[in-house]
Amino acid sequence: MVDAALQALLDAPSAWQGSVPGGRGAGPLPAHSDMVVVGGGIGGLSAALHALRRGCSVTVLEAGELGAGASGRNSGFVVPVPARHGPDTLNALLGDAAGPYVRALQQAARQALSRGGPQVVRQGWLQPFAQPPLGSLRHLARQWQALGIDAECVEGQRLGALAGTRYYPEALLFKSGGGVDPFALLHQLADAVIALGGCIVEQCSALNTTVRGQGVTVHTPQGDIRAGRVLLAANAYGTGASQATRRPIGRIALGLGTFSCEDLPPETACLPFSDARKDMWFCRRLTGNRLMTGAFILPGAGGTAAAAGLMSRRLQALFGPGPWSPGQLWAGYVGVTRTGMPVVRQHGPRIIRWSGCNGRGIALSSLMAQRLVDHLMGEPMPTLPQATFNSALLVRWLAHSVIQRDRRRQKKAAMAQPSSFSREIIS
Ligand SMILES: Cc1cc2nc3c(=O)[nH]c(=O)nc-3n(C[C@H](O)[C@H](O)[C@H](O)COP(=O)(O)OP(=O)(O)OC[C@H]3O[C@@H](n4cnc5c(N)ncnc54)[C@H](O)[C@@H]3O)c2cc1C
């Protein structure tokens, strides 16, 4: 059960939605396609584009409007490294596959940034550290470089100029990252799909699938479509035929908000940044004097009002007292897994599904889309890091506990060092 206040945020339009006109998915449902993709997010459309480039006919089914899921509601940070992992844990988890995996992610991040669009930031993404890691940050940067990632250590005045805050002593700068308007990116992908002859049908939910003979029938309220192959790319929003994308992942609500301040210095958050805590603090600059930030919305922690308060107090801690006037507030679902890796499942040779981008899906969903389409078209199953199946409830409970513990630690640290940042600011 979702409480009414959270539901209102999940239904509220994001700052991006409406940034470009819609109407790309008005086509009638074809009777047949080589490939049917369920889900019109960045992942589904990237898959469609890749399949079209490989010569398939493609139909994308979207239950709502394009961008109704996380792709139209996210922060637009293009991050070239996986969520919740540093080089050590990646090497331990993936061994020799760690390097190829992160290099492929970095390439996908560069592709997303090359699409451009409004509000694109190509100079990098910052990962600041409130408490620098035990070894030095330079060592961490070298470890990323050894895996082929373009990371460097920044500190002092340079960091202040890039992030616009003196809050953090040190940060890693990933030059292949940045920021996009995710809704605009999504629509660019949709235009490319249509230009190559693909078909997008909005307001058309895949209800279920039947495997028969040499193909799959996808049943929708608008009739049936026969497909050679089906990719379920419905992320944490899966319903009907794609409910299975939701089952193995914990859905965590992440609230986002825009805040404006009259005299915002031009250097404030000129690069998007997300810090290295579990309960990450993140921020990016939008057009005008607006900043965007966010916070996880935890049950029993004061709900949405508390999340909004937390966001503005974080801005105060990072950039000063303001005053910060709240603008838009909305939320979306992030799909998390225990190991931070995605879940892929194959249902016979013709249907495949994946989910679990752990809040870093812009680069990852396009990488997964390409690899899984290749596999559906007969190439060997790619070596993709995968999470083992865990109950969604268990994973959600674990994630909530970790975030709560991190918030308690922050509070304790604030009380121990009242001079560095005030205890009210953390609350
Ligand atoms: C608040 C928030 C902030 C985030 N910030 C970032 C960020 O800064 N950087 C980053 O890299 N990632 C971020 N993410 C994650 C990122 O948004 C997602 O990983 C990415 O958008 C997933 O794309 P997708 O195409 O897989 O899924 P989605 O965009 O969620 O699309 C799934 C679509 O499937 C449709 N669907 C579901 N069931 C059916 C059905 N049966 N038939 C037809 N259609 C169906 C839904 O309507 C939905 O539109 C964030 C996520 C959230 C929620």
Side-chain angles (χ1 to χ4, degrees):
M1 273 295 284
V2 173
D3 73 57
L6 173 57
Q7 191 57 56
L9 286 187
L10 290 165
D11 294 339
S14 74
W16 318 108
Q17 282 166 329
S19 65
V20 287
R24 285 158 181 81
L29 187 71
H32 176 268
S33 262
D34 297 334
M35 180 92 62
V36 165
V37 178
V38 176
I42 291 173
L45 292 171
S46 303
L49 193 55
H50 190 64
L52 284 160
R53 285 183 177 143
R54 292 203 53 164
C56 295
S57 61
V58 180
T59 300
V60 179
L61 304 179
E62 168 50 51
E65 290 175 359
L66 292 182
S71 297
R73 311 182 66 72
N74 65 51
S75 344
F77 291 27
V78 178
V79 180
V81 289
R84 303 193 347 236
H85 282 285
D88 279 344
T89 56
L90 270 182
N91 283 325
L93 194 68
L94 305 177
D96 288 348
Y101 175 53
V102 289
R103 286 194 293 279
L105 258 187
Q106 178 170 254
Q107 182 54 24
R110 287 190 173 125
Q111 261 173 22
L113 288 170
S114 72
R115 290 208 160 260
Q119 310 212 38
V120 67
V121 180
R122 293 203 182 89
Q123 297 93 320
W125 166 77
L126 283 169
Q127 184 181 39
F129 287 76
Q131 283 164 339
L134 277 182
S136 80
L137 204 61
R138 279 175 207 292
H139 175 64
L140 191 58
R142 278 196 297 274
Q143 283 182 306
W144 279 123
Q145 288 158 9
L147 288 173
I149 296 298
D150 195 354
E152 66 172 283
C153 188
V154 285
E155 56 193 14
Q157 281 196 336
R158 183 159 174 234
L159 176 57
L162 293 174
T165 169
R166 292 301 184 112
Y167 183 86
Y168 297 107
E170 290 176 296
L172 286 179
L173 168 63
F174 293 86
K175 283 192 241 155
S176 47
V180 290
D181 169 341
F183 195 70
L185 171 68
L186 179 83
H187 283 82
Q188 285 182 8
L189 289 169
D191 286 341
V193 165
I194 291 165
L196 287 183
C199 176
I200 300 173
V201 192
E202 287 176 305
Q203 312 295 349
C204 185
S205 185
L207 300 174
N208 50 52
T209 53
T210 316
V211 180
R212 217 181 298 131
Q214 293 301 301
V216 183
T217 304
V218 182
H219 308 281
T220 84
Q222 296 175 27
D224 293 349
I225 172 168
R226 189 92 177 127
R229 305 276 186 271
V230 175
L231 175 69
L232 302 175
N235 181 31
Y237 287 81
T239 57
S242 59
Q243 262 189 35
T245 61
R246 238 169 81 178
R247 228 169 276 142
I249 56 172
R251 291 209 306 183
I252 314 284
L254 179 56
L256 297 181
T258 62
F259 293 80
S260 56
C261 177
E262 264 183 27
D263 309 314
L264 204 58
E267 70 277 13
T268 307
C270 72
L271 290 196
F273 64 81
S274 345
D275 80 16
R277 284 176 274 218
K278 301 288 181 231
D279 180 27
M280 51 187 182
W281 293 26
F282 54 92
C283 188
R284 71 176 284 194
R285 180 131 194 179
L286 301 181
T287 48
N289 281 344
R290 292 179 307 151
L291 295 183
M292 185 180 73
T293 187
F296 288 109
I297 302 177
L298 302 179
T304 50
L310 198 58
M311 288 182 216
S312 71
R313 288 194 296 277
R314 285 179 182 184
L315 288 183
Q316 287 169 32
L318 290 167
F319 303 110
W324 298 95
S325 318
Q328 270 172 279
L329 201 60
W330 71 97
Y333 280 125
V334 170
V336 299
T337 60
R338 209 170 56 77
T339 58
M341 292 293 151
V343 187
V344 180
R345 286 289 178 278
Q346 182 136 16
H347 306 261
R350 301 185 177 279
I351 307 181
I352 203 162
R353 67 170 156 95
W354 84 279
S355 51
C357 50
N358 290 274
R360 296 252 179 103
I362 293 179
L364 180 65
S365 58
S366 93
L367 171 66
M368 295 298 284
Q370 292 176 25
R371 298 278 168 89
L372 296 181
V373 164
D374 288 344
H375 178 58
L376 278 172
M377 294 183 69
E379 291 182 18
M381 186 61 163
T383 323
L384 285 167
Q386 290 182 37
T388 46
F389 181 87
N390 283 115
S391 136
L393 285 177
L394 173 71
V395 174
R396 196 173 60 187
W397 177 82
L398 275 173
H400 283 161
S401 319
V402 169
I403 295 164
Q404 263 157 351
R405 194 178 57 204
D406 198 24
R407 281 189 190 165
R408 279 197 299 273
R409 278 191 189 148
Q410 288 175 43
K411 206 166 171 176
K412 225 165 136 189
M415 286 172 169
Q417 306 167 297
S419 55
S420 67
F421 41 92
S422 104
R423 93 181 52 153
E424 291 81 24
I425 281 173
I426 303 294
S427 76

